[in-house]
Structures are given as C-alpha cells and as structure tokens.
Amino acid sequence: MPIQWFPGHMAKARREVQEQLKLVDFVIELVDARAPYSSQNPMLQEVLGQKPKLVLLMKKDLADAARTANWIKSYQEQGIQAAAVDVNQKGDIQQVVQLAKAMGQEKMDKLKAKGIKPRPARAMIVGIPNVGKSTLINRLANKKIAKTGDRPGITKQQLWIKIKKDFELLDTPGILWPKFEEEAVGYRLAAIGTIKDQLLPLQDITAFVIRFLFEEYPSYLQERYGIEDSSDMVEIFEGIGRKRGALESGGHVNFDKVSDIVLQDLRTGKLGKFTLELP
C-alpha cells in the first residue's frame, strides 16, 4: 500500500531545485548508508536529469561496512562517483573536498580554454531530510553555517556556502517525494528516523525492524535483549519489555515503550552496524 506524505514546503523546494540547477556545475547527492536505495529520492532523479553527480553515503559509522563497499562499487559501475562519509572523520571530509574539486575541474578547464578567468566550481547539495546534510556542510566550511538537528526538515531555504577556495555549495532543503510506492521503503526510512515516527504505527515499524534483524543480523537481538527468533511478535515484545523494564502498572509490558527502546537502540548503533538493503 503506497504511503502518502508531501508537505507544501517540499513541493516548493522541488521547484527551487529545478530553477537553480542551471547555476551549478554538478550535484552532490546525500543518501543514508544504512538504506542507500530507499533514501535516494526518485523524484529528484527526474529533476537532476543528466547533471554530473557525486553520491555520498552518509552515516557510514552506523552502517555495515561490507555492504557499504558493495553499494559504492555498484554506483561506480553505473559511472557515478561515490564515497562513504562519517562527518566526524577529517579524512572523509577531505576526500569529499578532493572529489568535488575533481568534479568541477572539467568546467574550469573549459572556461580557461575560452580565455575566461576560472571561478570556483559550483555544486548543489541535495538529499532527503535528516540525512546529515547540515552537519556535513558545517564540517566542509569549517564553521557553523547550516542549522543542524535530529528532526527531519530543519533546512527550509537555499543558501550559498564558500568551501575554502575550492568550490561553492548551494544548500537546499531536504526533499521527500509524494508517496512511497513500495511499503518497505517507508518502513526502512521510518526505521532509521528519516521520516517522522507519527507517519507509521510505531509498533509496526519495530516489528519490521525485528523481522529484518532476525533474518540478516540474528546475533544483535540475542546479544542486546537475550531473545531468540520466534514467529510470535507478541512474545518477542514481551521478552524485550521485561528485559528492559518497559512495564506499566500491574506489571504489563508497554509495547510503545518497547518500540521506543528498540528504535533508539537501532538508530544510535547500540544494536550494531547494519544496512537494510543490498544494491
């Protein structure tokens, strides 16, 4: 069942991206390394067209390193530059600067050949909400420019930022698309905290996460909560709730509290590093 979601400011942001695209030489697209396919806006791909693109897989420190390497290989096989980024690693930030400089070099060479004084390369940075865009911009500029937060949709307007003498960056608001045609895409984005928790039933998101972990990373749930694989989701919620003290009066397990615990453990990496999908 498609999941509908499209705030008005995101429709406006899409139009602005379309209008500003002619001002830039290339695009830096941010995806979440834990769900690179699900966090890549299909609507944005239509808007960007044939514009050269650098894909950055953000939050690599929370993702499964082997799967991240598979994703980068997959992008490169499609002729797309890609790199994995942990915004707290200076080496990763430097790599982004070097890749961006290389992306803009062709344009600078053309200007030089025409006798026009080369200017800094210009890039537009795009991505869905809460993918780490504002933090990356602040690291690249080496000062606080963009607002940051763990809530989706912090950036609301476009902003030009100078990155040393290397390139200029046009920030844009995080844009989601009108609806998730694949239900699993909505659940993956909800699981990693990209879309607001109120959009889907919290217990459904948690059940989706638990089923996924039992299939792909079974030891995580065992090590964290001491539970074994079971087809009975009620039994699993009960087990986690009693283990972690998610109880209400009368000693009953509060399933919403269990959901909060599991999702926070997942998002902060306490359950372990994971990637929700393969190329």
Side-chain angles (χ1 to χ4, degrees), residues 139 142 172:
R139 295 283 194 277
N142 209 19
T172 58

Side-chain angles (χ1 to χ4, degrees), residues 3-275:
I3 299 164
Q4 303 274 353
W5 146 274
F6 203 47
H9 76 266
M10 291 191 179
K12 182 171 174 271
R14 175 196 164 133
R15 285 195 302 274
E16 286 173 358
V17 166
Q18 223 155 0
E19 287 161 15
Q20 301 283 5
L21 206 54
K22 56 184 175 287
L23 303 177
V24 301
D25 306 313
F26 64 98
V27 172
I28 299 175
E29 183 178 17
L30 273 50
V31 298
D32 193 305
R34 297 167 296 175
Y37 166 73
S38 293
S39 60
Q40 189 168 45
N41 186 338
M43 184 183 78
L44 209 50
Q45 308 316 307
E46 294 169 27
V47 175
L48 299 180
Q50 297 304 306
K51 205 66 146 172
K53 187 167 71 169
L54 166 63
V55 175
L56 299 180
L57 289 87
M58 304 297 290
K59 307 184 185 183
K60 78 169 191 189
D61 50 311
L62 296 172
D64 180 327
R67 290 189 174 188
T68 299
N70 286 339
W71 275 102
I72 289 172
K73 185 167 175 264
S74 171
Y75 282 120
Q76 289 170 344
E77 283 168 355
Q78 296 168 59
I80 298 168
Q81 284 274 24
V85 176
D86 172 358
V87 289
N88 297 312
Q89 296 289 332
K90 283 185 181 175
D92 287 2
I93 300 302
Q94 199 48 44
Q95 185 189 15
V96 173
V97 172
Q98 294 306 323
L99 285 168
K101 274 175 74 175
M103 293 276 294
Q105 194 58 50
E106 190 183 338
K107 178 76 173 184
M108 299 312 101
D109 291 344
K110 282 179 183 173
L111 291 177
K112 207 172 178 181
K114 288 178 182 173
I116 301 167
K117 188 183 174 186
R119 55 163 173 76
R122 291 177 188 146
M124 179 188 287
I125 188 163
V126 298
I128 64 173
N130 208 26
V131 79
K133 186 155 58 70
S134 299
T135 308
L136 176 66
I137 289 168
N138 291 336
R139 295 283 194 277
L140 287 169
N142 209 19
K143 57 186 171 183
K144 188 166 182 182
I145 290 172
K147 289 181 186 173
T148 62
D150 60 359
R151 284 183 300 111
I154 294 278
T155 311
K156 289 286 199 296
Q157 60 185 19
Q158 292 179 329
L159 178 71
W160 281 101
I161 298 126
K162 225 176 182 65
I163 309 298
K164 300 174 188 160
K165 291 177 184 173
D166 299 315
F167 64 100
E168 291 174 352
L169 207 50
L170 177 61
D171 187 17
T172 58
I175 311 172
L176 280 171
W177 51 107
K179 61 183 176 183
F180 306 129
E181 295 292 352
E182 298 173 56
E183 196 175 46
V185 166
Y187 279 114
R188 287 182 201 125
L189 294 181
I192 59 177
T194 296
I195 58 176
K196 293 179 173 116
D197 283 339
Q198 300 91 317
L199 198 59
L200 290 163
L202 208 56
Q203 292 178 27
D204 288 0
I205 302 166
T206 308
F208 173 86
V209 164
I210 288 168
R211 278 192 289 269
F212 166 78
L213 290 173
F214 273 137
E215 281 173 24
E216 302 291 336
Y217 304 95
S219 64
Y220 288 6
L221 293 166
Q222 217 286 321
E223 286 164 14
R224 185 78 181 159
Y225 310 121
I227 58 167
E228 300 292 341
D229 192 357
S230 164
S231 57
D232 189 338
M233 198 55 70
V234 172
E235 192 180 285
I236 292 167
F237 270 72
E238 289 272 355
I240 296 171
R242 297 199 182 283
K243 177 88 175 172
R244 295 296 299 276
L247 304 173
E248 50 194 25
S249 56
H252 299 296
V253 170
N254 182 320
F255 280 25
D256 282 340
K257 274 189 188 172
V258 171
S259 296
D260 276 332
I261 288 166
V262 173
L263 292 177
Q264 284 312 307
D265 283 353
L266 183 85
R267 292 166 186 172
T268 55
K270 287 176 182 170
L271 270 167
K273 298 184 179 193
F274 68 94
T275 300

